[in-house]
Coordinates of all heavy atoms in Angstrom, one line a residue:
I380 N 83.2 141.1 198.0 CA 82.9 142.5 198.2 C 83.1 143.3 196.9 O 84.2 143.4 196.4 CB 83.7 143.1 199.4 CG1 83.6 142.2 200.6 CG2 83.3 144.5 199.6 CD1 82.2 142.1 201.2
G381 N 82.0 143.8 196.4 CA 82.1 144.6 195.1 C 81.7 143.7 194.0 O 82.5 143.2 193.2
T382 N 80.3 143.5 193.8 CA 79.8 142.6 192.8 C 80.1 143.2 191.4 O 80.5 142.4 190.5 CB 78.3 142.4 192.9 OG1 78.0 142.0 194.2 CG2 77.8 141.4 191.9
G383 N 80.0 144.5 191.2 CA 80.2 145.1 189.9 C 79.3 144.5 188.9 O 78.0 144.5 189.1
C384 N 79.8 144.0 187.8 CA 78.9 143.5 186.7 C 78.6 142.0 187.0 O 77.8 141.4 186.2 CB 79.6 143.7 185.4 SG 81.2 142.9 185.2
G385 N 79.2 141.4 188.0 CA 78.9 140.0 188.3 C 79.8 138.9 187.7 O 79.7 137.7 187.9
Y386 N 80.9 139.4 187.0 CA 81.8 138.4 186.3 C 82.6 137.6 187.3 O 82.6 136.3 187.2 CB 82.7 139.2 185.4 CG 83.8 138.3 184.8 CD1 83.5 137.3 183.9 CD2 85.1 138.4 185.1 CE1 84.4 136.4 183.3 CE2 86.1 137.6 184.6 CZ 85.7 136.6 183.7 OH 86.7 135.8 183.2
Q387 N 83.2 138.2 188.3 CA 84.0 137.5 189.3 C 83.2 136.5 190.1 O 83.6 135.4 190.5 CB 84.8 138.4 190.2 CG 85.8 137.7 191.1 CD 86.8 138.7 191.8 OE1 87.9 138.7 191.4 NE2 86.2 139.5 192.7
A388 N 81.9 136.9 190.4 CA 81.0 136.0 191.1 C 80.7 134.8 190.3 O 80.6 133.7 190.9 CB 79.7 136.8 191.5
A389 N 80.6 135.0 189.0 CA 80.3 133.8 188.1 C 81.5 132.9 188.1 O 81.3 131.6 188.1 CB 80.0 134.3 186.7
V390 N 82.7 133.4 188.1 CA 83.9 132.5 188.1 C 84.0 131.8 189.5 O 84.3 130.6 189.5 CB 85.1 133.3 187.8 CG1 86.4 132.5 187.9 CG2 85.0 134.0 186.5
L391 N 83.7 132.5 190.6 CA 83.7 131.9 191.9 C 82.7 130.8 192.0 O 83.0 129.8 192.7 CB 83.5 133.0 193.0 CG 84.7 133.9 193.3 CD1 84.2 135.1 194.2 CD2 85.8 133.1 194.1
S392 N 81.6 131.0 191.4 CA 80.5 129.9 191.5 C 81.0 128.6 190.9 O 80.4 127.6 191.2 CB 79.3 130.4 190.8 OG 79.5 130.4 189.3
Q393 N 82.0 128.6 190.1 CA 82.5 127.3 189.5 C 83.5 126.6 190.4 O 83.8 125.4 190.2 CB 83.2 127.6 188.2 CG 82.3 128.3 187.1 CD 81.1 127.4 186.7 OE1 81.3 126.4 186.1 NE2 79.9 127.9 187.1
V394 N 84.0 127.3 191.5 CA 85.0 126.6 192.3 C 84.5 126.6 193.8 O 85.2 126.0 194.6 CB 86.3 127.4 192.3 CG1 86.9 127.3 190.9 CG2 86.2 128.8 192.8
A395 N 83.3 127.1 194.1 CA 82.8 127.1 195.4 C 81.4 126.6 195.5 O 80.6 126.7 194.5 CB 82.8 128.6 196.0
T396 N 80.9 126.2 196.7 CA 79.6 125.6 196.8 C 78.6 126.8 196.8 O 77.5 126.7 196.1 CB 79.5 124.8 198.1 OG1 80.5 123.8 198.1 CG2 78.1 124.2 198.2
D397 N 78.8 127.8 197.6 CA 77.9 129.0 197.7 C 78.7 130.2 197.6 O 79.8 130.4 198.3 CB 77.1 128.9 199.0 CG 76.1 127.8 199.0 OD1 75.2 127.7 198.2 OD2 76.2 126.9 199.9
V398 N 78.2 131.2 196.9 CA 78.9 132.5 196.7 C 77.9 133.6 197.1 O 76.8 133.7 196.6 CB 79.3 132.7 195.2 CG1 79.9 134.1 195.1 CG2 80.3 131.6 194.8
Y399 N 78.3 134.5 198.0 CA 77.6 135.6 198.4 C 78.4 136.9 197.9 O 79.6 137.0 198.1 CB 77.4 135.7 200.0 CG 76.7 134.5 200.5 CD1 77.4 133.3 200.8 CD2 75.3 134.6 200.8 CE1 76.7 132.2 201.4 CE2 74.7 133.5 201.3 CZ 75.3 132.3 201.6 OH 74.7 131.2 202.1
S400 N 77.6 137.8 197.3 CA 78.3 138.9 196.7 C 77.5 140.2 197.1 O 76.3 140.2 197.0 CB 78.4 138.8 195.2 OG 79.1 139.9 194.7
I401 N 78.2 141.3 197.5 CA 77.6 142.5 198.0 C 78.0 143.6 197.1 O 79.2 143.8 196.7 CB 78.0 142.8 199.5 CG1 77.6 141.7 200.4 CG2 77.3 144.1 199.9 CD1 78.1 141.9 201.8
E402 N 77.1 144.5 196.7 CA 77.3 145.7 195.9 C 76.6 146.9 196.5 O 75.4 146.8 196.9 CB 76.9 145.5 194.5 CG 77.0 146.7 193.6 CD 78.4 147.2 193.5 OE1 79.3 146.4 193.1 OE2 78.6 148.4 193.7
R403 N 77.4 148.0 196.6 CA 76.8 149.2 197.3 C 76.1 150.1 196.3 O 75.4 151.1 196.7 CB 77.9 150.0 198.0 CG 79.0 150.5 197.1 CD 80.1 151.2 197.9 NE 79.6 152.5 198.5 CZ 79.6 153.6 197.9 NH1 80.2 153.7 196.7 NH2 79.2 154.7 198.5
I404 N 76.3 149.9 195.0 CA 75.7 150.8 193.9 C 74.5 150.0 193.3 O 74.7 149.0 192.7 CB 76.8 151.2 192.9 CG1 78.0 151.8 193.5 CG2 76.1 152.0 191.8 CD1 79.1 152.1 192.5
R405 N 73.3 150.5 193.6 CA 72.2 149.8 193.2 C 72.1 149.5 191.7 O 71.8 148.4 191.3 CB 70.9 150.5 193.7 CG 69.6 149.7 193.3 CD 68.4 150.5 193.8 NE 68.3 150.5 195.3 CZ 67.8 149.5 196.0 NH1 67.3 148.4 195.4 NH2 67.7 149.6 197.3
P406 N 72.3 150.5 190.8 CA 72.3 150.2 189.4 C 73.2 149.0 189.0 O 72.9 148.2 188.1 CB 72.7 151.5 188.7 CG 72.3 152.5 189.7 CD 72.6 151.9 191.0
L407 N 74.4 149.0 189.6 CA 75.3 147.9 189.3 C 74.8 146.5 189.8 O 75.0 145.5 189.2 CB 76.7 148.2 189.8 CG 77.6 149.2 189.1 CD1 78.9 149.3 189.7 CD2 77.7 148.7 187.6
S408 N 74.2 146.6 191.0 CA 73.6 145.4 191.6 C 72.5 144.8 190.7 O 72.4 143.6 190.4 CB 73.1 145.6 193.0 OG 72.5 144.5 193.5
E409 N 71.7 145.7 190.1 CA 70.6 145.3 189.2 C 71.2 144.8 187.9 O 70.7 143.8 187.3 CB 69.7 146.4 188.9 CG 68.9 146.9 190.2 CD 68.0 145.8 190.7 OE1 67.5 145.0 190.0 OE2 67.9 145.7 192.0
R410 N 72.3 145.4 187.4 CA 72.9 145.0 186.2 C 73.5 143.6 186.4 O 73.5 142.7 185.5 CB 74.0 146.0 185.8 CG 74.8 145.5 184.5 CD 75.8 146.6 184.1 NE 76.5 146.1 182.9 CZ 77.4 146.8 182.3 NH1 77.7 148.0 182.7 NH2 78.1 146.3 181.3
A411 N 74.1 143.3 187.5 CA 74.7 142.0 187.8 C 73.6 140.9 187.7 O 73.8 139.8 187.2 CB 75.4 142.0 189.1
K412 N 72.5 141.2 188.3 CA 71.4 140.3 188.2 C 71.0 140.0 186.8 O 70.8 138.8 186.4 CB 70.2 140.8 189.0 CG 70.3 140.9 190.5 CD 69.1 141.5 191.2 CE 69.3 141.6 192.7 NZ 68.1 142.2 193.3
L413 N 70.9 141.0 186.0 CA 70.5 140.8 184.5 C 71.6 140.0 183.8 O 71.3 139.2 183.0 CB 70.3 142.1 183.9 CG 69.1 143.0 184.3 CD1 69.1 144.3 183.6 CD2 67.8 142.2 184.1
N414 N 72.9 140.3 184.1 CA 74.0 139.5 183.5 C 74.0 138.1 183.8 O 74.3 137.2 183.0 CB 75.3 140.2 183.8 CG 75.5 141.5 183.1 OD1 74.8 141.9 182.2 ND2 76.4 142.3 183.7
L415 N 73.7 137.8 185.1 CA 73.8 136.4 185.6 C 72.5 135.6 185.3 O 72.6 134.4 185.3 CB 74.0 136.4 187.1 CG 75.4 136.9 187.5 CD1 75.4 137.1 189.0 CD2 76.5 135.9 187.1
R416 N 71.4 136.3 185.0 CA 70.1 135.5 184.9 C 70.2 134.6 183.7 O 69.7 133.4 183.8 CB 69.0 136.5 184.7 CG 67.6 135.9 184.6 CD 66.6 137.0 184.6 NE 66.6 137.7 185.8 CZ 66.0 138.9 186.0 NH1 65.4 139.5 185.0 NH2 66.1 139.6 187.1
P417 N 70.7 134.9 182.5 CA 70.8 134.0 181.4 C 71.7 132.7 181.7 O 71.4 131.7 181.1 CB 71.4 134.8 180.2 CG 71.2 136.2 180.6 CD 71.2 136.3 182.1
L418 N 72.6 132.9 182.6 CA 73.5 131.8 182.9 C 72.9 130.8 183.9 O 73.3 129.6 184.0 CB 74.8 132.3 183.5 CG 75.6 133.3 182.7 CD1 76.9 133.7 183.4 CD2 76.0 132.6 181.4
R419 N 71.8 131.2 184.6 CA 71.1 130.4 185.5 C 72.0 129.6 186.5 O 72.0 128.4 186.6 CB 70.2 129.4 184.7 CG 69.1 130.0 184.0 CD 68.2 129.0 183.3 NE 68.8 128.4 182.2 CZ 68.3 127.4 181.4 NH1 67.1 126.9 181.8 NH2 68.9 127.0 180.4

Side-chain angles (χ1 to χ4, degrees):
I380 306 301
T382 308
C384 61
Y386 173 67
Q387 186 166 254
V390 179
L391 281 168
S392 71
Q393 300 297 294
V394 297
T396 304
D397 292 300
V398 177
Y399 299 85
S400 185
I401 303 176
E402 175 57 54
R403 63 181 291 269
I404 303 175
R405 183 178 291 276
L407 282 182
S408 181
E409 297 298 324
R410 177 177 177 177
K412 291 180 182 178
L413 294 177
N414 290 339
L415 290 168
R416 186 172 299 163
L418 301 181
R419 291 184 288 176

